[in-house]
Amino acid sequence: MGLLSVLKQSNVIYVIFGITFLTSGLIINFFQCLLYFGLRPFSIYLYRKINCYLCYSLYSQLVFVPEWWSELDIVLYMNKDDVEKFKKNHKYILMNHRYEIDWLCGWIICERTGVLGNCKAYVKKSLQYVPILGWAWRFAGYIFMERNWEKDKEVITSQIKELVNYPDSISLLLCAEGTRFTTEKLEASQKFAQKANLPILNYHLTPRTKGFVASLPHMRGKISDIYDMQLQFKSDDPVKPTLTNLLQGKRITAYICLFRIPLEEVPEDEKGAEEWLHKHYEKKDRMAESFEQTGDFFELSGVPKLEKITLKRRYNSLVNIIFWAVVVNAPILYYLIIILLSGSIIYFSIGASSIFLICLLLQRMIGMSKISKSSSYGTDDKKLK
């Protein structure tokens, strides 16, 4: 086992990661707060520009883990002509929600195309109170959903009107299934689909159409394309796609099919848009089934084959994590040395307690991504309606 392999298994490295991310995250949150109250009332344009870089500095620390630490391999199928459009234009992304790290794989695509700083998504409202990421998302204009439709509809309307006026390209992600895939949720989803006379899916949950349909009128004329991102991992791969495995430096291969759909292809009436989304998820289900059976998205799905392309890694996330690691850990190391040399039991206890607390927070953040810890939303018929 080489030195790098040993380091990737070392708890010391995890502590350094944790200290770097948590401390830098709070620093970034502090500056976001200052800008939100001090700059935004006078110049929304300038606030959004600066906040994009702050968000990037935070998000790219997480992207560093699969990109450089575990060297996650991405096999991407996409039309080459669509890459530049993906980079330059506002975009609406539909993605399946099956894995612990699906959101991180989406961020990797955004990082490699240079649009990571302006990634947005529909997320649970409770997440806005989570320090660092939740606070950053709040300042960045994420769409926080209460799962109370009357309130959510108003939030969607106001937020999308703001987002489509951003000065730079935004990527708005919707996981239309509403919650992460589990076997229990699939059974409930299939029962609901059968009762409602909707397509019965085997690899996705029945999509919730309200958020999608409510968003469309405010996107037309501002967002020209929807991008469907179908993500799969091979089920027989011994290394499972989990955040823990990424932190341990284990290499994983992700397979992504990303294709562009002109927004004008989606009917303007609500009924037509709902039917379009259900048919689209039937297509996604065929692609998932084809991949599970053959290792190929296209062989059995009837979907036209896209070419395999390569989006090169950028050094930005690597440089960013090195910068923060030095800025954060150099003074901490200095004070740790002073504490050890002082011989004070009190100071030593404070230092040890701080490190222990950081480890607990890091474990809690990792735990939030685990499928076993996902919400129970969608496990009964009432919640599916």
Side-chain angles (χ1 to χ4, degrees):
M1 183 180 289
L3 177 61
L4 185 58
S5 298
V6 173
L7 286 175
K8 288 181 177 181
Q9 301 295 322
S10 171
N11 289 330
V12 175
I13 297 298
Y14 300 157
V15 171
I16 293 173
F17 274 156
I19 291 173
T20 302
F21 179 73
L22 294 174
T23 306
S24 65
L26 291 173
I27 293 171
I28 290 169
N29 286 161
F30 173 74
F31 282 107
Q32 285 181 306
C33 185
L34 282 182
L35 291 169
Y36 187 84
F37 292 105
L39 178 61
R40 191 177 185 276
F42 305 101
S43 176
I44 294 179
Y45 174 87
L46 189 56
Y47 167 77
R48 289 170 173 171
K49 275 282 190 180
I50 298 173
N51 194 48
C52 174
Y53 290 104
L54 291 174
C55 287
Y56 177 81
S57 189
L58 180 62
Y59 302 164
S60 64
Q61 292 183 58
L62 296 175
V63 169
F64 161 81
V65 176
E67 280 277 74
W68 295 98
W69 188 248
S70 72
E71 296 185 84
L72 181 142
D73 187 25
I74 288 185
V75 179
L76 176 64
Y77 298 91
M78 185 179 185
N79 190 322
K80 280 185 179 179
D81 295 335
D82 291 339
V83 175
E84 285 303 313
K85 294 178 181 178
F86 189 91
K87 291 179 180 180
K88 294 179 180 179
N89 302 330
H90 290 335
K91 65 202 72 70
Y92 195 79
I93 301 174
L94 288 174
M95 186 179 186
N96 56 319
H97 195 21
R98 188 182 182 94
Y99 308 99
E100 289 183 13
I101 60 170
D102 44 23
W103 58 277
L104 201 47
C105 291
W107 275 10
I108 291 173
I109 297 297
C110 290
E111 158 61 14
R112 293 187 183 185
T113 52
V115 297
L116 178 61
N118 267 335
C119 283
K120 319 291 180 184
Y122 300 75
V123 294
K124 292 184 294 186
K125 186 177 181 179
S126 58
L127 291 178
Q128 71 177 325
Y129 305 111
V130 176
I132 303 175
L133 273 179
W135 293 349
W137 291 346
R138 177 66 181 84
F139 290 124
Y142 272 55
I143 300 177
F144 291 98
M145 310 288 283
E146 291 189 43
R147 289 171 176 167
N148 177 321
W149 179 238
E150 293 305 316
K151 294 181 180 179
D152 289 343
K153 187 175 182 179
E154 293 180 7
V155 171
I156 289 172
T157 299
S158 62
Q159 282 299 105
I160 290 186
K161 284 181 178 179
E162 282 198 22
L163 293 177
V164 295
N165 289 314
Y166 263 60
D168 299 310
S169 168
I170 66 155
S171 306
L172 179 56
L173 171 66
L174 173 67
C175 294
E177 294 161 272
T179 185
R180 188 181 284 134
F181 182 99
T182 65
T183 302
E184 182 185 13
K185 292 174 186 176
L186 177 63
E187 291 175 358
S189 174
Q190 289 176 331
K191 289 179 182 178
F192 171 77
Q194 190 171 23
K195 289 180 182 178
N197 198 29
L198 295 172
I200 297 176
L201 308 177
N202 296 312
Y203 297 91
H204 300 80
L205 306 180
T206 299
R208 292 170 172 80
T209 58
K210 286 184 177 180
F212 175 75
V213 172
S215 301
L216 290 175
H218 313 293
M219 297 192 301
R220 295 188 188 277
K222 299 286 187 177
I223 296 178
S224 58
D225 299 304
I226 295 172
Y227 286 83
D228 182 89
M229 187 178 293
Q230 184 66 27
L231 169 69
Q232 301 289 149
F233 293 90
K234 289 191 174 180
S235 55
D236 59 354
D237 192 329
V239 182
K240 300 305 177 185
T242 66
L243 190 54
T244 299
N245 282 336
L246 290 180
L247 286 169
Q248 291 176 352
K250 296 178 181 179
R251 192 161 191 169
I252 305 170
T253 300
Y255 298 82
I256 297 176
C257 181
L258 184 60
F259 55 90
R260 182 176 64 87
I261 306 164
L263 186 59
E264 61 191 24
E265 291 186 7
V266 182
E268 294 191 15
D269 63 291
E270 291 188 8
K271 181 72 173 175
E274 288 179 1
E275 291 177 354
W276 181 91
L277 187 63
H278 284 300
K279 288 180 180 178
H280 183 70
Y281 265 77
E282 279 190 286
K283 176 182 175 181
K284 288 173 71 67
D285 214 55
R286 293 197 306 271
M287 292 176 68
E289 183 177 33
S290 177
F291 185 88
E292 286 293 325
Q293 294 184 11
T294 68
D296 183 88
F297 287 112
F298 313 103
E299 188 170 332
L300 302 178
S301 65
V303 176
K305 190 175 182 66
L306 295 178
E307 58 188 316
K308 187 188 299 185
I309 67 170
T310 300
L311 296 177
K312 293 182 179 180
R313 288 187 302 178
R314 305 193 312 159
Y315 286 93
N316 303 49
S317 60
L318 179 60
V319 172
N320 181 70
I321 193 70
I322 292 173
F323 166 79
W324 279 116
V326 172
V327 169
V328 170
N329 292 291
I332 290 177
L333 180 61
Y334 172 76
Y335 283 111
L336 282 176
I337 292 173
I338 291 177
I339 288 171
L340 290 173
L341 293 177
S342 71
S344 170
I345 296 177
I346 295 176
Y347 289 156
F348 181 80
S349 299
I350 292 173
S353 299
S354 299
I355 292 174
F356 179 72
L357 180 60
I358 288 171
C359 290
L360 284 180
L361 288 172
L362 186 61
Q363 286 297 321
R364 183 169 179 79
M365 291 179 69
I366 294 172
M368 288 174 64
S369 73
K370 292 183 177 180
I371 291 177
S372 60
K373 301 294 183 181
S374 62
S375 74
S376 60
Y377 184 67
T379 54
D380 61 64
D381 285 355
K382 290 181 180 179
K383 292 178 181 178
L384 282 163
K385 292 179 181 178

